[in-house]
Amino acid sequence: MASFGGVAVFNARMPLNPARVRADFPILQQRVRGKPLVYLDSAATSQKPEVVIEAMARFYRESNANVHRGAYKLSEDATAMFEGTREKVARFIGAPSAEGVVYVRNTTEAVNLVAHGWGRKFLKAGDEVLLTEMEHHSNLVPWHLLKRDRGIVLKHIPINDEGRLDLSRLDELCTMKTKLVALCHASNVLGTINPVAELAAKAHAVGALFLVDGAQAAPHMKVDVGSLGCDFYAFSAHKMCGPTGVGVLWTRPEILREMDPFMVGGETILEVFLDHSTFRDPPHRFEPGTPAVAEVAGLGSAIDYIESLGLDSIHSHEESLAAYAQQKLAAIPGCVLFGPRSGPRGGVACFNLEPIHPHDLATCLDQDGVCVRAGHHCAQPLMRRLGVVATARASFYVYTSTSDIDLMVESLNRTREFFGCR
Amino acid sequence: MSLESLYQEIIMEHFKAPRNRGEIATPDVSISMNNPFCGDDITLHLALKDGKVSDVKFRGRGCAISQASASLMTEILKGKQMSDAMTSAMLFKKMMRGETKKHEADPLGDIVALEGVRKFPVRVKCALLAWSAFEEGVKGKK
């Protein structure tokens, strides 16, 4: 049996050494116009370490076969890796078993699966789904369709000026009519980390289920779906050193068993007749067709890799980078910062440099090899709440160092000069 | 590709002091458009008289490229026969697709400074926003 993962060494409390971590990432060794690549867009997608790239390449070189099909060694090995990774994912998020772990393409697909597989089956006109003002479009639009097609009512927890949820009216928003509370664990724009456990308790107290979009949290901090009180938890591999094309929806098994598949075909069925079919138990009921097998090998390796760095170390590393970046950015004339300035937060710095438009900023920074995101970050309602059409965003990960932030700040100052800002 | 060749002097000048910003009290055409990629928006007002674009005004939020393009566009369109205005729009789009021959786009005047934006593919839409609004707004008008 070939091995697919990297070697997991637990150093949970060791501070990260970003220079050493950076050496694990081939893409970060390149120079852009003679300057080091300063990659500050990890909230969009993270870079991949050599071990993950190699795990996928090795799967194709040594073990490629379809899963759950062939009665031969190669296919058995691929299936063992695929199902073994499912168990690894369950451990990674503190789930009691792999039964609730459904492989999807990404977090967006995961939320859509809940909206279709659970929402369309169980929600009726007048039922309420409680979201927040800081959601990514992927946790808004699927519910818009259910509002249109089923007549559900959407409510939103507002945010305060600091960019945290304003829970002062929660009792009015979360009532016996509420059937689902769905929100992000960490904001992809503000860096806010939401009080998930507290909100889960509130949701369950009114008999609602609780969905967490963990795309910006699972890569950065220890997640335990049990102690958080989640019924659904979704995340993507590509934001946590893994490949694109695979993500996870974890669902409490007793809920998952009642859900309808929203895509069907091979792999999902027990028996097929000409005019009807019966479906398998979860999780395979929700995984139609040949899955992203090599990507799952990459996901398994990515989990090993970030666990070897330690999720607690990753979180404190990013928290200190966010504080450092905010302090440096605040010192630039015209810089407007968004998101919490104190307390728990993720590794995101969201800002504008007045009067320069963030798109112009991003283009100018790119000339210095500095990659930041500019735009609405798939959160247009949040942009309206902040009173802007777009912002710049720098986001950090395991390989980010304070010198990356210094280079960004230097480039921002050059941009100010170029635009003639005083 | 340097920043100076993207943000040429004429572009920065129009960005800092845009021409024809504002509204027409009773416009013949009023159209709003946004760029879903970045959320930038524009509202374009046109007054049409005797087959001519007699007045043009715009409002919007956007980057230097989109604002300069809108400002330069208003100067090109103002006073033009509708058919000539449409020809200018087609020529501008052709230039931004990189399909114009040498000097073919020269009749457009100062706005050829935006040709450098082609080297920055994600920014081409910024340059096209105002022009797309114009084309959409005058659809079916003669």
Side-chain angles (χ1 to χ4, degrees), chain A residues 18-32 35-42 45-50 53 241 305 369 371 397-401 404:
Chain A
R20 234 170 66 197
V21 172
R22 191 181 171 97
D24 294 339
F25 291 76
I27 201 169
L28 299 176
Q29 310 312 312
Q30 68 185 283
R31 295 180 82 79
V32 180
K35 297 171 183 172
L37 176 63
V38 178
Y39 185 75
L40 296 173
D41 198 17
S42 293
T45 196
S46 72
Q47 297 301 349
K48 323 301 173 197
E50 181 66 29
I53 299 167
C241 295
Y305 181 76
C371 311
Y397 204 23
V398 290
Y399 35 72
T400 312
S401 65
D404 290 318

Side-chain angles (χ1 to χ4, degrees), chain B:
Chain B
M1 192 71 198
S2 68
L3 281 184
E4 286 75 12
S5 57
L6 174 65
Y7 295 107
Q8 292 190 24
E9 216 169 297
I10 184 81
I11 295 171
M12 294 301 271
E13 200 254 311
H14 274 261
F15 169 56
K16 285 174 182 165
R19 322 294 197 266
N20 300 305
R21 240 185 118 78
E23 282 132 30
I24 297 173
T26 51
D28 296 299
V29 171
S30 170
I31 179 142
S32 296
M33 258 204 174
N34 78 330
N35 178 351
F37 169 70
C38 57
D40 288 355
D41 53 33
I42 185 168
T43 298
L44 186 67
H45 284 181
L46 299 172
L48 308 176
K49 200 174 176 189
D50 305 330
K52 275 188 181 172
V53 180
S54 57
D55 199 7
V56 195
K57 296 264 193 240
F58 81 100
R59 271 199 192 288
R61 295 178 291 183
C63 61
I65 304 299
S66 76
Q67 298 301 294
S69 181
S71 172
L72 283 154
M73 180 188 81
T74 61
E75 291 196 320
I76 292 171
L77 297 181
K78 212 171 186 173
K80 269 213 168 57
Q81 288 290 338
M82 188 63 104
S83 57
D84 293 341
M86 307 278 260
T87 306
S88 296
M90 271 157 59
L91 186 57
F92 181 76
K93 279 167 59 182
K94 198 174 165 189
M95 177 182 87
M96 295 310 296
R97 288 197 301 264
E99 292 166 1
T100 43
K101 293 189 217 62
K102 207 176 176 188
H103 300 304
E104 189 184 342
D106 288 357
L108 291 173
D110 285 346
I111 204 169
V112 296
L114 282 169
E115 200 179 358
V117 177
R118 283 205 306 114
K119 301 269 170 54
F120 298 81
V122 296
R123 306 300 302 277
V124 169
K125 277 191 177 155
C126 309
L128 289 176
L129 182 62
W131 293 89
S132 303
F134 170 69
E135 289 196 320
E136 187 64 27
V138 298
K139 229 179 220 172
K141 307 225 178 223
K142 276 273 172 321

